[in-house]
Amino acid sequence: SGKIKRTKVEDLALIDRTWDAVMGLSDGEKDRLLTGTVAGNDAHIVFYTQDGQALRIKSTTVNPQQTGSASGVAGIKLRKDDHLLGATVVPNGQDDKNWQVIVISENGYVHRFPLAGIAVKGRAAMGVRCLRTSNASGKLAAVAIGLEKNNVDVYLTDGRRQRIPIASVAPASRDIQGDRLVRDSKKVPVAQAVVL
C-alpha cells in the first residue's frame, strides 16, 4: 500500500529461529511486505512502482516505531492502478554524484541515469517517472542503485541470472525506454535485480 516503517535495531527481537512481527499490514490480503533492509540516518530510500514512478526520501523523515504491529506511515502515493514493487536504500544518499540508478523493464530494457535525476521529496508524493513504458518494454520490473564500477545481477522469473556491468549501460536521461540488454526476457519476464 506504499507505506514505510522504521524501527531501531535494538527494538527488534533478534532471537535465532523465532518469528517476530516487524510491520502490521493495513489492507488485509491485498497488502504485503516487499522490502526489509538496514538504513542509517544518512541513507535515502528510493521507492519504485510498476508504472515506472520513483520517489526518493530521506530515511530520517520516517520516525521510528517500536511495536511490531505498527503499520508505518505513508511512503509513496500510488495512482489508482499502479502497484509498488519495492524500495532500495542508498547508504549515503547525500553523496549522490557517484550513484547510478539502473532501471530494468519486464521485457529486459535497461537504462541508467545519475541518482541526482531523482530529487529528494517528502513522503507521500508520487515521485518522478523513471521509465517510459511501452508494449515492447512492458512494465517496470526492477530498480537497482550502485556505482559505475559495480555489476547488476538481473534475475528472470524462471530462476536464471544475467550479470550486467553498470559501466556497460550507456548513461541516458531518466524518462526513456532504454535498450534491450537482458537476453530471453521477452519470453520470461525479469523478476528483480541486485547490485553487487
Side-chain angles (χ1 to χ4, degrees), residues 85-107:
L85 293 178
T88 188
V89 171
V90 185
N92 185 358
Q94 289 85 346
D95 181 25
D96 64 8
K97 65 181 180 287
N98 295 319
W99 294 100
Q100 297 290 303
V101 178
I102 299 83
V103 179
I104 306 165
S105 75
E106 291 173 318
N107 295 338

Side-chain angles (χ1 to χ4, degrees), residues 1-4 46-49 53-57 73-79 82-86 122-128:
S1 62
K3 289 190 172 184
I4 183 170
V46 177
F47 297 90
Y48 52 95
T49 76
Q53 292 295 116
L55 174 68
R56 177 178 167 200
I57 66 170
V73 295
I76 185 171
K77 183 177 180 181
L78 298 168
R79 290 190 175 107
D82 201 359
H83 302 283
L84 182 64
L85 293 178
R123 291 184 303 100
M126 284 185 152
V128 295

Side-chain angles (χ1 to χ4, degrees), residues 145-185:
I145 299 177
L147 303 173
E148 195 168 317
K149 65 182 181 180
N150 298 139
N151 294 316
V152 177
D153 274 4
V154 179
Y155 296 92
L156 300 182
T157 56
D158 67 0
R160 286 181 293 152
R161 171 190 63 83
Q162 179 181 333
R163 180 161 291 168
I164 299 174
I166 292 176
S168 73
V169 181
S173 60
R174 174 176 45 80
D175 182 17
I176 65 167
Q177 176 177 278
D179 297 315
R180 192 152 180 267
L181 299 180
V182 180
R183 298 184 303 272
D184 295 336
S185 56

